[in-house]
Amino acid sequence: MSDSTPEERLAMLRFHRRVQLQQLAQTDEWIAIWEQRAAEHARRRPPPPDPDWALEIGKGALPVWVHTTECWNSFFMHAISREQAIEALTRGGVPPCILCRPERELGVLD
């Protein structure tokens, strides 16, 4: 290639570009196929169960209250496990919600 003229180099580079575009188009087609298969697979799976516990987050991303799902509001709350709820109530210093009273179901702070 070092002995080629500028016109020959341009021709080779344009050819190389066409090959790359074809490869990119093939890759995009494969991605579309696998995205469709993944979507079909996700539709066949049962949805995850609703969380039993939630941690309400306040200003500064600090936890405010622990809740049961009766108080669930996904805008302000994050799903947590039973163990995380107990940890937040007992060691984390997060108070229980005064409406749904998660400490009763969890058997802590009675």
Side-chain angles (χ1 to χ4, degrees), residues 22 25 41 46 70 104:
Q22 290 171 348
H41 181 69
E70 294 172 16
R104 289 181 180 169

Side-chain angles (χ1 to χ4, degrees), residues 20 22-23 30 32 36 49 62 68 70 75 78 80 95-96 103:
Q20 287 179 322
Q22 290 171 348
Q23 290 174 338
W30 289 335
Q36 182 180 3
L62 296 174
T68 66
E70 294 172 16
F75 186 74
H78 298 282
I80 58 174
E103 75 279 12

Side-chain angles (χ1 to χ4, degrees), residues 10 39 85:
L10 276 173

Side-chain angles (χ1 to χ4, degrees), residues 32-46:
I33 289 168
W34 283 102
E35 284 175 341
Q36 182 180 3
R37 288 180 183 175
E40 290 169 3
H41 181 69
R43 282 193 295 272
R44 285 193 299 263
R45 281 187 307 205

Side-chain angles (χ1 to χ4, degrees), residues 4 6 13 26 29-30 37 43 58 60 77 109:
S4 60
L13 287 170
Q26 179 65 61
E29 187 177 322
W30 289 335
R37 288 180 183 175
R43 282 193 295 272
M77 299 184 199
L109 305 177

Side-chain angles (χ1 to χ4, degrees), residues 21-82:
L21 288 172
Q22 290 171 348
Q23 290 174 338
L24 181 60
Q26 179 65 61
T27 302
D28 287 342
E29 187 177 322
W30 289 335
I31 289 171
I33 289 168
W34 283 102
E35 284 175 341
Q36 182 180 3
R37 288 180 183 175
E40 290 169 3
H41 181 69
R43 282 193 295 272
R44 285 193 299 263
R45 281 187 307 205
D50 289 335
D52 292 326
W53 314 101
L55 188 63
E56 183 175 344
I57 304 299
K59 292 182 180 182
L62 296 174
V64 179
W65 284 323
V66 175
H67 296 270
T68 66
T69 54
E70 294 172 16
C71 289
W72 185 255
N73 176 345
S74 62
F75 186 74
F76 296 109
M77 299 184 199
H78 298 282
I80 58 174
S81 67
R82 175 182 178 82

